[in-house]
Amino acid sequence: MAVAVAATVSACSPKFDWRDYRSAEASYSVLFPDKPATHTRTVNLDGRQAAMTMTAAEVDGTIFAVGTAALPDAAQARHAVGAMRTAMVRNIGGNITKEAEREGGLEVEAHGVSNARPMQLHARFVARDSRAYQVIVMGPEKAVDAENIDTFIRSFKLN
């Protein structure tokens, strides 16, 4: 009986448990599909060292993440956005299949192969003042539908 109840409860639990997240440090809000974790590390953004804070959640091997980095000025933040774009596409050994400016940022879709698995990347890159942002969904090809990708990326708002 207990096994049947557990199986029924787990079958009813949503795969995506959307929750509002607000960053006090980087002044943005976004909906994550699960409880996110945050960590900060130093990264190289095309020759510039910067502390990047990444807040991310994973669902079925797909990462939903927002990365932010504070730079010395707005010009360096705009340059960092380009470096972020290049690094994320490189992470999946990808090629950009769509790219467009939208809502004050650059949106990118890329497809590639990582560890012999077809991968997808959907991302939005934004520079505001001296801060660079990347909003990404990255994981196995077709693991997440367009509606959930869109929910995450479109929910990102700068405060």
Side-chain angles (χ1 to χ4, degrees), residues 144-151:
V144 177
D145 64 28
E147 181 181 347
N148 287 304
I149 292 167
D150 199 50
T151 294

Side-chain angles (χ1 to χ4, degrees), residues 67-78:
T68 65
L71 286 300
D73 59 46
Q76 288 185 41
R78 286 189 302 275

Side-chain angles (χ1 to χ4, degrees), residues 75-93:
Q76 288 185 41
R78 286 189 302 275
H79 184 79
V81 163
M84 289 173 165
R85 173 188 157 273
T86 299
M88 293 309 302
V89 172
R90 189 178 303 137
N91 281 346
I92 64 165

Side-chain angles (χ1 to χ4, degrees), residues 12-122:
C12 293
S13 64
K15 184 178 193 178
F16 292 89
D17 183 13
W18 294 102
R19 58 193 70 207
D20 188 46
Y21 176 86
R22 295 179 187 281
S23 170
E25 172 193 315
S27 192
Y28 70 85
S29 63
V30 69
L31 290 174
F32 274 102
D34 201 358
K35 184 177 180 181
T38 300
H39 71 277
T40 302
R41 69 181 179 116
T42 301
V43 297
N44 181 332
L45 296 172
D46 199 25
R48 290 174 173 70
Q49 298 298 310
M52 177 175 268
T53 299
M54 188 72 77
T55 302
E58 183 179 340
V59 175
D60 288 346
T62 298
I63 303 293
F64 294 78
V66 177
T68 65
L71 286 300
D73 59 46
Q76 288 185 41
R78 286 189 302 275
H79 184 79
V81 163
M84 289 173 165
R85 173 188 157 273
T86 299
M88 293 309 302
V89 172
R90 189 178 303 137
N91 281 346
I92 64 165
N95 293 308
I96 295 173
T97 55
K98 292 181 186 174
E99 188 170 43
E101 288 193 30
R102 186 171 172 177
E103 299 176 22
L106 178 65
E107 293 200 3
V108 172
E109 182 178 328
H111 299 270
V113 177
S114 180
N115 296 323
R117 290 177 34 178
M119 300 290 284
Q120 65 179 334
L121 167 70
H122 299 268

